[in-house]
Amino acid sequence: MLVTKPISKTIRTLGDLEERFQLLPTQNSHFFPEWQESLPELTNIEIEAIDQIYQRYFRHRKHSSLAEGTVNHLLVAPLLTLAKLYDEPFFITTEPSVNLEIENQNEILRGRIDTLIIHQRLWVLVVESKDSLSFNIALPQAMTYMMANPNPSQFVYGMVTSGDEFLFIKMKTDANPEYDLSNVFYTLIPQRNQLREVLQILKQIRSIILQ
């Protein structure tokens, strides 16, 4: 008999992902070059805009931790706008729930996705900045949602952020699923706006999806 379990209480570590989906870190060192190789140059207008986004976020963040919705308004939505991921041919959807059936364990994992899904290829998950632990838990949960990718023949990308930290994910979700992660980009480093690199990666992923 199938047993339904909540994703938030069932998938809390990368080990849980491996156990239930046989999802393993890739052994291919060239699996995820998109976050560090041949990144598109930013225009002067883009640099000016991303620096303004950074200053606005930093001004609010240095006074207090920020809730998920505030991080989204101050940082994530402006970033996606600047990367043109709200424009044609992309569409943003939010799925109210997802069910993943794990046949060999007679389980159905069910969860509500606080995630933006862009063109079924890029999944964006925002967590509150006040708790670094939530970021670590959010990563395997985001990857669980990405396993619901309706086109397993295509690579799927993810971005998890607390506002303070950004991490990119690339996954292959076919019969032999594997994944790789980018470095963590930290936005509160004084005198260095790492959001510039985050924007470059988003532009790179956009270009790949369009291909």
Side-chain angles (χ1 to χ4, degrees):
M1 183 178 68
L2 288 175
V3 178
T4 300
K5 298 180 179 180
I7 289 175
S8 61
K9 296 185 181 299
T10 306
I11 306 295
R12 300 180 66 86
T13 68
L14 296 177
D16 292 334
L17 281 171
E18 180 177 342
E19 178 184 350
R20 284 172 168 79
F21 300 108
Q22 289 72 56
L23 175 65
L24 298 170
T26 185
Q27 299 300 309
N28 179 1
S29 60
H30 302 290
F31 183 83
F32 192 11
E34 295 90 329
W35 73 268
Q36 57 186 329
E37 295 181 7
S38 303
L39 293 174
E41 295 291 331
L42 299 182
T43 67
N44 290 335
I45 293 175
E46 288 172 332
I47 291 173
E48 182 179 348
I50 200 66
D51 287 351
Q52 184 181 51
I53 291 169
Y54 171 79
Q55 292 298 332
R56 186 183 299 128
Y57 176 78
F58 187 80
R59 183 173 68 86
H60 286 80
R61 180 65 179 91
K62 69 182 179 181
H63 290 293
S64 66
S65 60
L66 300 176
E68 174 187 326
T70 306
V71 172
N72 192 38
H73 284 301
L74 288 175
L75 198 54
V76 176
L79 262 174
L80 296 178
T81 299
L82 199 54
K84 297 184 178 179
L85 285 165
Y86 287 145
D87 299 337
E88 190 72 30
F90 297 98
F91 286 95
I92 305 295
T93 60
T94 55
E95 298 289 344
S97 64
V98 62
N99 291 327
L100 294 173
E101 183 172 330
I102 308 176
E103 295 181 359
N104 63 342
Q105 297 195 36
N106 292 319
E107 288 181 340
I108 294 178
L109 298 184
R110 177 173 295 164
R112 296 186 60 83
I113 309 179
D114 299 320
T115 309
L116 294 174
I117 307 168
I118 302 175
H119 216 61
Q120 298 295 343
R121 296 288 302 280
L122 173 61
W123 300 56
V124 180
L125 180 62
V126 182
V127 298
E128 294 192 20
S129 65
K130 65 183 179 181
D131 186 356
S132 60
L133 180 62
S134 65
F135 187 85
N136 296 328
I137 293 175
L139 174 60
Q141 291 182 5
M143 293 168 68
T144 302
Y145 298 141
M146 291 166 66
M147 286 296 299
N149 168 36
N151 298 303
S153 62
Q154 296 180 322
F155 288 112
V156 61
Y157 298 88
M159 183 181 80
V160 179
T161 180
S162 65
D164 296 352
E165 302 166 304
F166 283 80
L167 178 70
F168 288 91
I169 310 160
K170 181 179 180 180
M171 286 176 52
K172 181 166 68 75
T173 61
D174 60 8
N176 299 294
E178 56 184 332
Y179 72 92
D180 199 5
L181 306 175
S182 72
N183 285 351
V184 175
F185 296 88
Y186 191 62
T187 61
L188 298 182
I189 298 176
Q191 306 303 318
R192 184 181 176 193
N193 183 0
Q194 291 199 338
L195 285 181
R196 292 184 181 186
E197 294 156 89
V198 171
L199 177 58
Q200 287 179 293
I201 295 168
L202 286 172
K203 291 182 64 177
Q204 181 96 296
I205 292 173
R206 179 186 186 275
S207 177
I208 291 167
I209 293 174
L210 287 176
Q211 293 174 6

